Amino acid sequence: MKIHKEGRRILFFTLLALLAINLLLFQFNARAETFNLIFVGASVIAFLLLLQFFRSPFRNLLTHEDLLIAPADGKVVVIEDVHEPEYFDDVRKQISIFMSPINVHITRNPISGIVRYFKYHPGNYLVAWHPKSSTKNERTTVVVQSEAGPMVLFRQIAGAMARRIVWYVNEGDEVSQGEEFGFIKFGSRVDLFVPVDTEVKVQIGEKVKGGQTVIAQLKTTNPSLFGN
């Protein structure tokens, strides 16, 4: 198990701060031994929780040009046809994955192709499952021209706890399915927008793993045999 690069600085300074506070307590509050021991225990638990948030587990990535692979760990909370106003300005099928604080928060390219559009939007911090979080919260929008042909839009969306979105892609980049395209810190959501004739392979409430779970199959002239 590795620690993601986005967490190393935070973990280092958090560890230093907790060590300093605990040393000061034992130095200047030595009589309150019980309280000091409880604080030590709480410090260890808090650090371990932070450590697990920034974990970067090894994944055997599933790749195929017409399969849409989960961009993140989490639970499927939305599958519906909606109007997508930012890029397509037409009806698309939306598939949303909610990431709780205990999920791995690496975000991965759901498909291989060329980045045709990228934009960062500052915004609010509504809870990630709020219907308006997709258009009101801090977010990034990425549109990839897939190798299979169809265009796929996906968004990193900040939640009530998430206060920083990190991305590693720009317009014109060639991206590979399963590779990291960003990281969202402390609870969030990823939305996918695909053509309405896309065959969805997951259900509401299903838990998915980034880089491994097949979310959907794009309609192409030469489809794979997945799911047949």
Side-chain angles (χ1 to χ4, degrees):
M1 179 73 69
K2 297 192 303 180
I3 300 301
H4 196 273
K5 61 183 181 181
E6 298 296 340
R8 293 169 190 164
R9 183 180 178 88
I10 292 173
L11 288 166
F12 176 73
F13 285 107
T14 299
L15 181 60
L16 286 182
L18 290 173
L19 285 173
I21 293 170
N22 278 278
L23 288 173
L24 288 171
L25 283 175
F26 278 95
Q27 179 71 28
F28 298 105
N29 196 34
R31 293 183 179 180
E33 184 177 355
T34 301
F35 173 82
N36 292 347
L37 291 174
I38 291 173
F39 192 86
V40 169
S43 298
V44 171
I45 292 171
F47 186 76
L48 290 176
L49 288 173
L50 192 62
L51 189 67
Q52 69 83 34
F53 178 85
F54 287 107
R55 68 196 187 278
S56 179
F58 173 78
R59 293 283 165 86
N60 287 311
L61 301 176
L62 176 62
T63 60
H64 197 287
E65 65 177 14
D66 68 352
L67 297 181
L68 197 68
I69 308 301
D73 290 15
K75 183 169 69 173
V76 179
V77 294
V78 173
I79 302 174
E80 62 181 357
D81 292 349
V82 299
H83 180 260
E84 195 294 301
E86 180 178 350
Y87 184 82
F88 296 113
D89 195 23
D90 65 10
V91 176
R92 296 277 151 163
K93 189 176 295 294
Q94 177 181 340
I95 307 167
S96 298
I97 299 169
F98 172 69
M99 307 158 68
S100 78
I102 63 172
N103 287 127
V104 173
H105 274 59
I106 296 167
T107 49
R108 301 178 181 274
N109 297 304
I111 201 80
S112 295
I114 304 295
V115 178
R116 299 300 185 193
Y117 175 83
F118 174 85
K119 188 170 184 179
Y120 167 75
H121 301 267
N124 300 323
Y125 298 99
L126 302 172
V127 290
W129 57 83
H130 194 287
K132 292 185 177 181
S133 66
S134 183
T135 56
K136 299 295 185 182
N137 279 16
E138 178 187 5
R139 62 200 182 278
T140 62
T141 301
V142 183
V143 178
V144 170
Q145 177 79 58
S146 70
E147 292 179 349
M151 305 276 271
V152 176
L153 183 153
F154 43 99
R155 289 195 180 105
Q156 298 169 296
I157 302 171
M161 294 178 62
R163 297 287 163 159
R164 188 182 177 203
I165 294 176
V166 181
W167 62 89
Y168 312 133
V169 297
N170 295 287
E171 282 187 24
D173 287 353
E174 183 174 355
V175 296
S176 296
Q177 193 171 45
E179 289 187 352
E180 295 181 21
F181 81 86
F183 196 97
I184 316 177
K185 299 182 179 180
F186 306 113
S188 44
R189 168 174 157 173
V190 178
D191 285 352
L192 298 156
F193 293 84
V194 294
V196 292
D197 62 353
T198 299
E199 184 179 355
V200 178
K201 300 291 187 179
V202 292
Q203 299 178 341
I204 295 288
E206 185 173 340
K207 293 181 179 180
V208 298
K209 281 193 172 184
Q212 292 185 328
T213 304
V214 176
I215 296 294
Q217 184 166 18
L218 300 170
K219 294 293 184 181
T220 61
T221 53
N222 296 301
S224 71
L225 296 178
F226 180 84
N228 294 339

